[in-house]
């Protein structure tokens, strides 16, 4: 026997009666006449060919079929309602506070200028920015979004890949003028490097080169912690530094830095936006994520090892 077409509104009215236990209570909640509610339920029963409710003068009770039908349809109506809420949230105007964390260098060089543009577009959004090079947990630290460089995000979080950046070797033109341009990795011993893991005056770096990975021991007179400090040290001519291509590219283009030993570096690290896995993301967070993806797509790909601008 073919089932008649059923109106979802009829199912919603039936579920309200089933949950309230009364035609009168359901009618008050829905803002409909009691007779209309009773007629809708009767129409639904006729459409599916089964009695869903036992009717008394004061209450209604679910039949066995009615209870099963209520449980099955309530879940579906909940999913439909959630879908509607998600669409409404997507259309909502971005507003409120976003708590953001990012690496110091990325935040200083790229993110702050981008935030300025984002806030100009979305006047009802505020941003609290924390720049830190240590690993952060968005959920534990009550962050809306954390931008991670070179680290795999925790599987319990959602993430969006923003960019890939290789590390390259750079120095200031002043340093190259004083000490010369190294013509190969074997010349590393005659040069100063900006160290970042040890204060013993030397450390071993693992670099990717034309023939695969190679270890090289480098020495230097300065040890700094944090890519922002490494960049400053390189700009002031304190030695050769290993830094993200995405960070050094603007300085190479202006001539403030030059790439040295262009055949060597370190393969790309991921820049990822990580955020808690909430069912409904605030409109401000979705707008900011989409904005970040668009801005990173505008940037040129990470400068490959061999594409550096050599000193002459």
């Amino acid at each position: 026997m073919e089932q008649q077409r059923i109106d979802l509104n009829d199912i919603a009215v039936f579920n309200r009666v089933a949950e309230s236990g009364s035609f009168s209570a359901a009618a008050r909640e829905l803002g409909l006449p009691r007779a209309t509610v009773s007629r809708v339920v009767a129409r639904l029963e006729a459409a599916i060919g089964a009695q869903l409710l036992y009717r008394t003068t004061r209450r209604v009770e679910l039949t066995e079929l009615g209870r099963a039908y209520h449980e099955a349809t309530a879940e579906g109506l909940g999913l439909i309602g959630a879908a509607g809420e998600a669409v409404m949230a997507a259309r909502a105007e971005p507003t409120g506070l976003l708590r953001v964390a990012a690496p110091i260098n990325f935040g200083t060089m790229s993110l702050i200028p981008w935030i300025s543009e984002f806030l100009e577009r979305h006047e009802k959004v505020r941003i609290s920015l924390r720049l830190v090079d240590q690993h952060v947990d968005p959920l534990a630290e009550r962050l809306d979004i954390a931008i991670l460089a070179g680290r795999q995000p925790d599987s319990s979080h959602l993430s969006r890949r923003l960019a890939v950046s290789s590390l390259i070797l750079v120095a200031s033109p002043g340093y190259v003028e004083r000490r010369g341009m190294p013509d190969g990795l074997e010349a590393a011993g005659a040069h100063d490097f900006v160290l970042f893991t040890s204060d013993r005056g030397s450390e071993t770096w693992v670099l990717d080169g034309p023939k695969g990975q190679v270890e090289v021991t480098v020495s230097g007179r300065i040890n700094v912690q944090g890519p922002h400090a490494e960049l400053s040290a390189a700009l002031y001519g304190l030695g050769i530094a290993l830094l993200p291509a995405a960070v050094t590219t603007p300085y190479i283009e202006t001539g403030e830095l030059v790439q040295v030993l262009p055949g060597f570096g370190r393969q790309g690290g991921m820049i990822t936006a990580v955020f808690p896995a909430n069912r409904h993301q605030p409109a401000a967070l979705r707008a900011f994520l989409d904005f970040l993806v668009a801005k990173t797509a505008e940037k040129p790909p990470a400068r490959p090892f061999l594409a550096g601008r050599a000193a002459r």
Side-chain angles (χ1 to χ4, degrees):
M1 176 173 144
E2 186 177 350
Q3 181 176 292
Q4 298 180 35
R5 179 175 295 179
I6 296 173
D7 191 328
L8 285 177
N9 291 318
D10 292 358
I11 298 175
V13 169
F14 160 72
N15 275 279
R16 189 61 62 89
V17 173
E19 290 162 6
S20 64
S22 154
F23 283 113
S24 297
R28 286 194 300 271
E29 293 174 10
L30 294 169
L32 296 172
R34 182 188 183 283
T36 300
V37 173
S38 179
R39 187 169 58 251
V40 167
V41 174
R43 182 171 63 205
L44 177 63
E45 289 177 320
I48 64 176
Q51 184 178 355
L52 301 175
L53 297 171
Y54 293 120
R55 293 155 173 85
T56 68
T57 55
R58 294 187 176 182
R59 286 189 60 80
V60 294
E61 298 288 342
L62 290 166
T63 66
E64 287 301 315
L65 287 176
R67 183 173 292 105
Y69 192 73
H70 169 55
E71 290 175 356
T73 56
E75 182 179 358
L77 289 173
L79 292 174
I80 293 172
E85 291 174 5
V87 171
M88 290 178 65
R91 295 178 59 191
E93 181 181 4
T95 186
L97 175 66
L98 282 178
R99 296 178 176 86
V100 182
I104 295 173
N105 238 22
F106 180 81
T108 303
M109 300 300 301
S110 297
L111 191 57
I112 289 178
W114 294 347
I115 285 176
S116 175
E117 182 179 340
F118 179 80
L119 292 180
E120 188 173 345
R121 294 186 189 180
H122 303 286
E123 296 182 352
K124 295 184 178 180
V125 176
R126 296 176 292 118
I127 289 181
S128 173
L129 177 63
R130 175 184 170 198
L131 298 183
V132 58
D133 286 328
Q134 288 78 24
H135 178 76
V136 293
D137 182 335
L139 193 60
E141 302 188 37
R142 298 181 61 207
L143 296 170
D144 295 296
I145 180 171
I147 298 173
L148 306 181
R151 309 180 185 97
Q152 290 298 315
D154 190 295
S155 59
S156 65
H157 302 314
L158 299 178
S159 63
R160 290 183 72 172
R161 172 175 159 177
L162 299 178
V164 175
S165 176
S166 298
L167 300 177
I168 62 174
L169 294 162
V170 295
S172 71
Y175 173 86
V176 173
E177 185 177 345
R178 292 194 317 272
R179 304 292 297 275
M181 174 67 74
D183 55 8
L185 205 58
E186 62 278 0
H191 284 268
D192 286 330
F193 288 76
V194 178
L195 307 180
F196 55 87
T197 64
S198 170
D199 58 4
R200 296 191 302 270
S202 67
E203 54 195 25
T204 300
W205 291 358
V206 178
L207 302 176
D208 296 301
K211 298 181 180 180
Q213 287 192 335
V214 59
E215 288 190 357
V216 57
T217 298
V218 298
S219 60
R221 299 172 61 196
I222 184 168
N223 164 47
V224 297
Q225 293 190 5
H228 192 69
E230 293 168 44
L231 175 63
S232 294
L235 288 168
Y236 278 96
L238 295 175
I240 298 171
L242 182 65
L243 287 164
V247 170
T248 55
T249 293
Y251 297 96
I252 292 174
E253 290 173 347
T254 61
E256 295 174 83
L257 290 175
V258 294
Q259 186 175 355
V260 302
L261 297 170
F264 296 91
R266 193 170 293 167
Q267 293 294 348
M270 202 80 69
I271 300 176
T272 309
V274 179
F275 44 98
N278 296 329
R279 185 175 181 183
H280 299 303
Q281 297 170 4
L285 175 57
R286 286 193 305 276
F288 190 58
L289 282 169
D290 291 341
F291 179 79
L292 288 178
V293 171
K295 295 305 290 187
T296 50
E298 290 176 3
K299 295 177 72 68
R303 184 180 295 268
F305 298 158
L306 298 174
R309 176 173 158 192
R312 300 181 184 278

